[in-house]
Each structure stands twice: as structure tokens, then as C-alpha cells.
Amino acid sequence: MSRDTLLMRADSERDPNMLYAVGMFVPDPFIYLRLNGKCHIVVNDFEISRAREEARHCRVLSVGKCLRDVGKNSRRKGTHALVIAHLLKSRRLKKVLVPENFPLALARELRDLKIKVKVKPGMFFEDREFKTAEEVKKISASLMMAEVGLAEGIFALKNSRIGKNKKLLYHSVPLTSEKLRAIIETAVLQAGGIPIRTIVAGGRQGCDPHQSGHGVLRANEPIVLDVFPRSQKTGYFGDITRTVVKGRASEGVRKIYDTVRRGQEVGFGQLRNRASCARVHQRVDDFFKEQGYKTNRKGGRMQGFFHSTGHGVGLELHEKPSLSESSKDLLRPGHVVTIEPGLYYSELGGVRLEDVALVTGNGPKNLTKFEKVLEV
């Protein structure tokens, strides 16, 4: 481990680096310092007991006591900046590395107190990129929550009926994207996950990869279901996408579905130690072109395959490495990545399939268990 002095001030509910460092959820911003390789945290007095229980690898300090100590030696009103400067100077330290999202106002205060603040480029904790066996279990648990929600959504589609103008009806009322999303997200919540803007996009809406979907769903057209919850317990994410048709898929949709499925297999086949992430993406893109599916702009909209092949998953939904055209990343054992190719054409709709894979020294391990079925 580097002996650099590291500093963060954030809450661990929303900041992945802070959660990674301390391993406990704290809703209010607090101070983290890594001094000589040892974790120190300064928390509100009412968090002291819990922090000492849940963050045993850290030295836990009371912000109240630190402020009183600062007040004895300063005429200034106590602030986090004064506390940080006091702790650093008591150890004859005058320089810290901070993450890219460090508060600008706090950095200015520290510089006024003669503390040199320098941004640490890239990932603040390099080890975050490579998942331990315990972290893989946490991601797999979150993925299971996503699969539970997806199963409930597909069950509702299976039990819907086709009404006039191909509109889907569920319990005799129109089945909308909003209703199906609620069904999926309720199941995710009950499984222990926090759903985050689940995608239920039917027909042409599915041609916009981040369109969450709205309005009545219809039979015989593809519906993209993308579920990516965060575990309430651990903060790790899961991510899965399936595309389904209630009723009968057209021949065109069947062909692009089969092509996307095979394209995903091509992507999985490229996941090996030291493989170029850009090369993984390029191989999938080349496969689609070989099958006759071009990517271009039509009517002011992109069509074809126009997003990355995948991304890392962990305490953030999208993190390193990136499996994209411009990526400089190389795959290593311990990377957990999605493989999620898609094809999108306005006259047919969108098709995307997404699984999560662990890169090992012996190739990829698919962590996703959910089946792939087009018609339901």
C-alpha cells in the first residue's frame, strides 16, 4: 500500500471511495485521513460507537473533541479545515492527496492554512478496480436482486393479455412502462435492493439506450428491460438487461435478437487476462458489421451499435474498466464487467442483452444466471 497521505471529506452513502475506505454507511460528510498507511476517521459524536464497531480497521476520532482541541489553540471558529490542518501538523505533515471530487471550498481553506492539496489522478484507491472474492459475492447478491425484479416483470408480461391495437392489459387495465417498472422495482426492494431508474422501454423507445420508458406497452414489439439495483446492505450494484416480446416477434426482430445474442458471445470470448478493452469492443462491432448491421445516423438519430460493449461494476454502476472504442484499459483478473451489446433500428425497435462477467486467469466467469428468451 502507498504511504501517501490521503484525505477525503464526504458521506459514505453517496461517495463510493468513502464507502470503500470505511465499509459503513454514514449520511453526513465526515473526514477520512490515511496517515502512514492507517485509516483515521473523524465523525460526529453520535456516530462514535457505531463507527468503532463497524470500521474496526480505522482509528475513530470525535469531531467534537477535535474541535475543542483546535479551539484551545486558535481564535478561529472551529471548522473541518482546522481539524484537518491540526491533525496533519501534529504529525508534521503539510501535503495531502485528494480525490477529483474533493470540495473546492475546503481545498481553498486548507491552502490558506498552509496545507498543500493535490488531486490524485485516476481511481483514488487503485484496488477498487480489482474485486476480491468477497466483493464478487456482494456484486452477485445485487445481481440476484436484479434478476428477482426482472423475473417479476416478465411474469407480469406473460400474464398480460393483448387488447385492441395490440395494447397490453394486466388485470384488465392497460399495462404501461410505469406500471411494469413499479412491479419490477417493488420486487427489487423486497429482495433487499434499491432500484434506480429501471428501464422498461417498448418499441421505438428502446432505440434510445437510456430511455426509461413511458406509456402503454404493446404486443409483438421488443421491450428492453434493464435493471440495475444497488444493495441496501453493501452498496454494490448489479446490472442485467433482457429484451422480450409479448406475443410474436417479427422476422426482423428475431434476426437482430439472434445477432445480439451471438455478438454477446463474441464479447465473452474476448475476455482474457491482458486483453485490450478497446479490442473487445472492436471485435463485437466488427461482428455486427459482418452480419450486415451498419451503424450510422438516420433521420437525425443514431442507429445500429452506438454505445460501448460494457463497463466495470462495483460500488459504482459504471466504473473502470471501460469496454469502449477509446478505452486504454487492459483486462486483469479481478475485473467485473458487463457485456451488453445492442442493436437499435427505429423501424424494428431496440434489442440489448446484458450479463455480468468476472475476469479470471482462466477466462471469464458469467455471474448472471437469468435465461435469455425472446418471446414470452
Side-chain angles (χ1 to χ4, degrees), residues 207-209 294-307 344-346:
C207 293
D208 182 347
K294 297 180 180 180
T295 298
N296 53 31
R297 188 177 295 275
K298 181 179 180 181
R301 295 176 61 94
M302 289 300 297
Q303 64 173 6
F305 180 43
F306 50 87
H307 58 68
Y344 311 89
Y345 297 96
S346 57

Side-chain angles (χ1 to χ4, degrees), residues 140 142-153 188 227 229 240 242 367-371:
S140 295
S142 298
L143 185 56
M144 182 63 71
M145 297 168 196
E147 294 185 13
V148 167
L150 184 61
E152 285 297 313
V188 168
V227 190
I240 185 172
R242 292 292 182 264
L367 303 179
T368 308
K369 308 301 181 186
F370 206 88
E371 64 181 352

Side-chain angles (χ1 to χ4, degrees), residues 80-375:
H80 274 187
L82 285 170
V83 169
I84 293 165
H86 170 71
L87 291 172
L88 291 172
K89 289 177 179 179
S90 68
R91 292 164 174 80
R92 299 183 179 180
L93 298 170
K94 294 184 178 181
K95 181 175 70 174
V96 292
L97 296 179
V98 300
E100 294 174 342
N101 64 343
F102 191 78
L104 177 59
L106 180 55
R108 286 173 171 169
E109 285 186 76
L110 289 170
R111 285 166 179 162
D112 289 344
L113 294 167
K114 310 302 182 186
I115 300 298
K116 185 177 181 180
V117 178
K118 183 178 180 181
V119 172
K120 186 175 185 290
M123 294 193 77
F124 195 59
F125 297 108
E126 293 88 350
D127 289 348
R128 260 192 63 204
E129 187 176 341
F130 306 99
K131 307 306 186 283
T132 65
E134 186 61 30
E135 287 180 293
V136 172
K137 288 180 182 178
K138 292 175 181 178
I139 294 169
S140 295
S142 298
L143 185 56
M144 182 63 71
M145 297 168 196
E147 294 185 13
V148 167
L150 184 61
E152 285 297 313
I154 291 178
F155 182 78
L157 283 170
K158 286 181 177 179
N159 285 278
S160 64
R161 65 181 183 86
I162 303 171
K164 293 181 179 179
N165 299 320
K166 300 190 296 183
K167 292 182 178 180
L168 297 184
L169 301 172
Y170 185 64
H171 296 323
S172 301
V173 297
L175 180 61
T176 62
S177 291
E178 293 85 349
K179 174 62 178 176
L180 190 55
R181 183 178 303 112
I183 291 171
I184 293 170
E185 293 187 344
T186 297
V188 168
L189 279 168
Q190 291 174 337
I194 303 171
I196 301 174
R197 296 192 62 79
T198 299
I199 292 173
V200 180
R204 293 188 65 178
Q205 291 180 20
C207 293
D208 182 347
H210 282 170
Q211 167 64 261
S212 58
H214 55 86
V216 179
L217 296 167
R218 298 178 183 274
N220 307 332
E221 62 182 27
I223 302 170
V224 177
L225 304 173
D226 192 345
V227 190
F228 36 96
R230 185 188 192 209
S231 169
Q232 297 177 38
K233 182 178 179 181
T234 69
Y236 282 82
F237 281 87
D239 201 357
I240 185 172
T241 305
R242 292 292 182 264
T243 302
V244 297
V245 172
K246 169 64 179 183
R248 299 289 294 175
S250 68
E251 187 60 26
V253 170
R254 287 175 183 272
K255 286 182 178 179
I256 63 171
Y257 183 91
D258 182 64
T259 303
V260 169
R261 181 185 57 77
R262 289 190 291 143
Q264 189 187 50
E265 292 173 355
V266 169
F268 264 92
Q270 301 296 309
L271 299 183
R272 60 179 67 93
N273 186 28
R274 299 193 63 80
S276 161
C277 290
R279 175 59 182 160
V280 175
H281 173 79
Q282 189 63 55
R283 185 64 194 92
V284 174
D285 191 40
D286 289 345
F287 172 77
F288 286 151
K289 291 175 182 175
E290 291 163 5
Q291 302 304 307
Y293 291 97
K294 297 180 180 180
T295 298
N296 53 31
R297 188 177 295 275
K298 181 179 180 181
R301 295 176 61 94
M302 289 300 297
Q303 64 173 6
F305 180 43
F306 50 87
H307 58 68
S308 66
T309 294
H311 54 84
V313 179
L315 287 171
E316 293 177 275
L317 179 60
H318 298 99
E319 59 181 46
K320 285 176 67 71
S322 170
L323 279 70
S324 64
E325 181 180 14
S326 60
S327 177
K328 304 298 184 183
D329 299 329
L330 296 178
L331 291 176
R332 293 283 194 275
H335 276 145
V336 175
V337 297
T338 67
I339 298 294
E340 50 176 310
L343 288 171
Y344 311 89
Y345 297 96
S346 57
E347 66 273 18
L348 296 171
V351 172
R352 183 168 68 255
L353 296 171
E354 177 183 28
D355 288 353
V356 176
L358 168 66
V359 179
T360 76
N362 298 316
K365 177 182 178 182
N366 194 338
L367 303 179
T368 308
K369 308 301 181 186
F370 206 88
E371 64 181 352
K372 298 181 180 77
V373 177
L374 175 59
E375 294 178 340

